[in-house]
Amino acid sequence: MSLKKQDDMDHNAWLKSQDLTAIETAFLTALIWLDKRLRIVDYLELLETMYYRANLQMPKSHTEQYDLDNKFWYWYPLYSLGSLSIIAYLLAAVSGAMLGFYYAPSTAGAVAQGDPTAAYDSMVMIMKDIQFGFMLRSIHRWSAQFMVAAVFLHMLRVYFTGAYKEPREVNWVLGVVLIALTLFFGFSGYVLPWKQLSFWAAQIGVELALATPIIGEWAAQLLFGGFTLGQATLVRMYILHVFVLPFVVTALIAIHVGIVWVQGIAEPH
């Protein structure tokens, strides 16, 4: 395998010569368009070649070792949980970006006395005054909750099928980090409406941070802007939820999926 430029090929003629469905034609057309500009296939093949030249062969699964002819079919539905988590994440990201056009991260108001805040009023405005606003927020909320459940079940599947064992320890650790970030994603989003439940959830967060040995006060200052709740708390949760966590989680998911692609799907051990 080399990155030497290949001879030009009439891809349109090749596509027409194949017996393809409309979906297959659209996929290959998009792939060819991207590959002409980014040489995706060349770099993927180079990565695969380098991997196998390093002689990092994966251990045999039970189906390979005992020639069971894929009789572990009953596990297969559980193997889609990782993909479902990513789909839920994408839905939450798109709907959250659209909600961001209308949301106001302001604590103006006295939520501790039960008065509505500007942040809460913006959520009410989204649901009542914006066309399809209620549906948009519901998609964001339900996709986020579905993602948390799917990631948790995905981790259980990985544990009980032994997919965390050598040589997949790094991806297991990465998964543990991802589920922790997913939970913090949900927590930061729960705080954003800045209503009574959000306010006291943030207060619990401050108490948990303060209970952490050695770094407790520093963590409370960094994440919540101090030991009492206010505008600084909401702004920090907003920045983490909208600007920091999406980039960190997206990058880690890409690495996670990349490792799965290189190592292959782990069958039950």
Side-chain angles (χ1 to χ4, degrees), residues 24-44:
E24 291 170 336
T25 302
F27 172 75
L28 289 174
T29 301
L31 181 61
I32 291 170
W33 190 89
L34 289 171
D35 191 53
K36 283 182 177 178
R37 289 151 181 81
L38 304 175
R39 305 187 65 182
I40 296 173
V41 175
D42 283 347
Y43 285 107
L44 289 177

Side-chain angles (χ1 to χ4, degrees), residues 124-142:
V124 173
M125 182 269 291
I126 289 171
M127 291 190 292
K128 290 187 175 179
D129 300 335
I130 303 299
Q131 195 169 20
F132 302 114
F134 185 86
M135 182 181 74
L136 186 63
R137 186 174 181 239
S138 297
I139 290 174
H140 186 67
R141 184 178 58 186
W142 282 106

